[in-house]
Amino acid sequence: MDVMADVSHENTLAADSGAARVQERMQKRNQARIESVERRREAKESQSVAEENYEFFSSTFNREREGIEELLSGCSGADRATAAQNLEEATVRTAQLQKFLSDSTLFLKQYDLRKAQAALQTLQTSLTETREEALPKKKFAFRARTKGADRACAPAADTPPPSAVSPAEPGSTQTDGASEQCGFSNLSEQLLIKTSEEVQKRDVLLTHLTNCKVRLFGSPSTLHLKHIQGCEILCGPVSSSVFVDRCTDSTLAVPCQQLRTHNTTDTRVYLHVTSRAIIEDCRGVSFAPFSWSYPTLEEDFAVSGLDQTRNNWSQVDDFNWLAAGTPSPNWTVIPEEERRTSWDP
Amino acid sequence: MGLLTILKKMKQKEREMRLLMLGLDNAGKTTILKKFNGEDVSTISPTLGFNIKTLDHRGFKLNIWDVGGQKSLRSYWRNYFESTDGLVWVVDSADRLRLEDCKQELSALLLEERLAGATLLVFANKQDLPGALSKEAIREALALDEIKSHHWCIIGCSAVTGENLLTGVDWLLDDIAARIFTSD
């Protein structure tokens, strides 16, 4: 019996120490689990920034929106200066809010994003409305004439005719072209000549000429022709484009990089073009290869940088005739027997 | 980080932008595009239709649309407005006669609803020509200071020499990026 009791006592002891070990192990394991949860939580927190949650976003967003609304409501009844200042600030803050929203798109849910966008849209609308209400004149619209043009016009009144005016300063702020550009305007029945020195690397403008003969020796940078009637205009190599607008019953001869012809009728063009010629709103325009010559033509070709061997005079694009395959009825090639070969006045 | 977030981040890494280049005819739009892309600019013809270039710059993928500026093509401009991030308005600084035209076309564009979110870059092109107006004069002539509806900037440049093209495009990219991409 005693032996039995002893044995059972020992057993109990053994069981006790076993239970303690198990408990200890379990505690350790629990500890490890808690630690690993803690570690994972920390890892997660370090990844997601505090700003990247909806509560933070929505409170910041709404606070800012209310601020802007307050600014806007302060505009009604305020004087112009205050209103303008308020609007300026509101505009800047709205832009910042837009940026804040776009920065937050990553973590926002679709619904929240759309809600915020709608709120921002409303805000922008009311900003526009308030601006129109408070500062009606500030609405973006072009005035008929700029101040610059007005200023340019005033001195032009008491200067000699345009052709006699000295060339423009580069970078001058005048916008009234006719008063300072190299060229001729408002003349009829005359022979008009410009020398190489006058036109070299310049923008040349010819406007409102009737029944004139024009000779431009040299290499201009661009050539503009506008409102030309019954004229014969011969020009040296133009390094970039030639513009023709509202020209009738005339003959032109010019080498250039591009030819852009508008609103022109019954005009013959003796052309050397290194890219392509285009016509728009034209009819009865006919083309032939450039055939005018003068003593320094070769040198002027070199100055202009045009390739003398490349001439696409017969490849004309008509912007009013986009049908491929059928040729445009608005332009023709001058038959060889009808082409001019002598140009002396 | 969920799968969706990863996908979103990947998409934003692509950083694609759509730029629309407009302006009157002969402003130099095609020349700017070709010069920027390092192509030959001496044989460019007036654009009958449009050109598209996709190029990589500073880690952005740029889709640049260059649409012809002839009067008869301007009514087609609106077909290209959709999802434009940046509008490049090109001005021939030497063409004083048509500045008024230029102004009116630009003002009409800025009222366009589908361009409301686009950043505006104005290139005062052809600064290499002796008769060119300065960018300040263009800024005044186009009344740019009255634009409140768009972010805008004017840069004097020359498509022929390539001067300042990069400056302009970089400004445009920065402005668009600040607006549509996250700052990660």
Side-chain angles (χ1 to χ4, degrees), chain A residues 213-272:
Chain A
K213 287 193 170 195
V214 185
R215 301 289 183 268
L216 304 172
F217 300 96
S219 171
S221 161
T222 59
L223 174 65
H224 286 255
L225 309 179
K226 219 170 174 181
H227 300 284
I228 304 292
Q229 202 185 349
C231 293
E232 183 185 286
I233 298 170
L234 313 181
C235 180
V238 177
S239 57
S240 66
S241 358
V242 173
F243 259 93
V244 180
D245 194 12
R246 296 178 201 287
C247 180
T248 52
D249 297 316
S250 297
T251 302
L252 318 173
V254 62
C256 57
Q257 201 229 329
Q258 295 183 347
L259 173 72
R260 297 166 182 260
T261 320
H262 307 267
N263 310 301
T264 292
T265 52
D266 305 319
T267 292
R268 293 152 300 284
V269 186
Y270 291 81
L271 182 65
H272 181 105

Side-chain angles (χ1 to χ4, degrees), chain A residues 17-231:
Chain A
S17 67
R21 272 206 304 277
V22 166
Q23 207 166 6
E24 198 181 313
R25 274 220 309 276
M26 279 179 63
Q27 230 157 28
K28 243 188 221 159
R29 203 181 284 175
N30 190 31
Q31 193 67 37
R33 191 182 62 82
I34 291 172
E35 271 171 21
S36 96
V37 165
E38 189 68 23
R39 259 203 314 278
R40 258 185 286 166
R41 204 171 57 83
E42 269 171 21
K44 203 175 162 196
E45 262 178 13
S46 71
Q47 266 185 10
S48 72
V49 191
E51 278 90 62
E52 288 200 4
N53 73 60
Y54 179 66
E55 279 73 37
F56 174 81
F57 169 78
S58 97
S59 65
T60 316
F61 185 87
N62 287 331
R63 201 166 351 106
E64 188 60 19
R65 200 192 59 192
E66 277 158 23
I68 297 172
E69 275 166 358
E70 217 166 276
L71 267 180
L72 289 182
S73 62
C75 282
S76 58
D79 62 282
R80 228 185 136 82
T82 325
Q85 200 186 351
N86 274 5
L87 282 170
E88 201 66 42
E89 196 187 333
T91 313
V92 172
R93 281 173 67 177
T94 311
Q96 278 166 353
L97 195 59
Q98 171 76 61
K99 184 168 184 310
F100 176 59
L101 174 60
S102 64
D103 284 352
S104 309
T105 49
L106 256 191
F107 62 88
L108 285 181
K109 293 194 184 69
Q110 271 297 320
Y111 172 74
D112 298 328
L113 185 61
R114 248 180 300 154
K115 219 170 58 174
Q117 268 167 345
L120 200 62
Q121 191 64 49
T122 322
L123 195 62
Q124 257 153 1
T125 315
S126 73
L127 176 63
T128 319
E129 277 167 6
T130 315
R131 175 174 296 130
E132 273 170 21
E133 217 170 276
L135 308 166
K137 288 228 174 92
K138 280 282 177 186
K139 197 174 151 192
F140 180 64
F142 287 131
R143 283 159 297 166
R145 273 194 94 79
T146 59
K147 283 178 214 142
D150 288 343
R151 255 185 277 127
C153 282
D158 49 20
T159 47
S163 55
V165 173
S166 63
E169 301 280 319
S172 122
T173 56
Q174 293 187 335
T175 50
D176 195 316
S179 66
E180 56 176 28
Q181 218 151 3
C182 168
F184 299 106
S185 61
N186 302 307
L187 295 166
S188 61
E189 319 281 344
Q190 287 189 37
L191 174 62
L192 307 166
I193 295 174
K194 287 252 182 235
T195 61
S196 180
E197 291 73 38
E198 286 174 289
V199 300
Q200 210 80 322
K201 294 270 164 217
R202 303 200 52 82
D203 289 1
V204 179
L205 172 68
L206 308 178
T207 57
H208 295 97
L209 301 183
T210 313
N211 302 324
C212 290
K213 287 193 170 195
V214 185
R215 301 289 183 268
L216 304 172
F217 300 96
S219 171
S221 161
T222 59
L223 174 65
H224 286 255
L225 309 179
K226 219 170 174 181
H227 300 284
I228 304 292
Q229 202 185 349
C231 293

Side-chain angles (χ1 to χ4, degrees), chain A residues 102 106 142-144 146 170-172 174 180 201 203 241 243 257-258 260 262 275-276 278 280 319, chain B residues 8-9 25-26 42 44-45 47 70-73 94 96 98 100 103 107 129-130 132-133 140 142 179:
Chain A
S102 64
L106 256 191
F142 287 131
R143 283 159 297 166
T146 59
S172 122
Q174 293 187 335
E180 56 176 28
K201 294 270 164 217
D203 289 1
S241 358
F243 259 93
Q257 201 229 329
Q258 295 183 347
R260 297 166 182 260
H262 307 267
S275 71
R276 272 173 107 92
I278 67 118
E280 185 177 52
F319 277 70
Chain B
K8 266 190 196 167
K9 278 224 156 134
D25 46 305
N26 201 43
S42 63
I44 295 169
S45 305
T47 307
Q70 300 291 332
K71 221 176 211 144
S72 46
L73 294 181
R96 293 144 202 265
R98 295 195 301 162
E100 194 68 29
K103 200 183 196 187
S107 87
L129 296 184
L133 292 167
E140 193 184 326
L142 298 185
R179 197 153 42 77

Side-chain angles (χ1 to χ4, degrees), chain B residues 18 20 22 77-84 87 109 112 114-115:
Chain B
R18 192 182 135 112
L20 178 61
L22 297 176
W77 283 359
R78 71 174 83 115
N79 299 339
Y80 301 86
F81 290 165
E82 212 64 63
S83 57
T84 294
L87 177 65
L109 278 183
E112 185 61 47
R114 281 172 298 166
L115 292 176

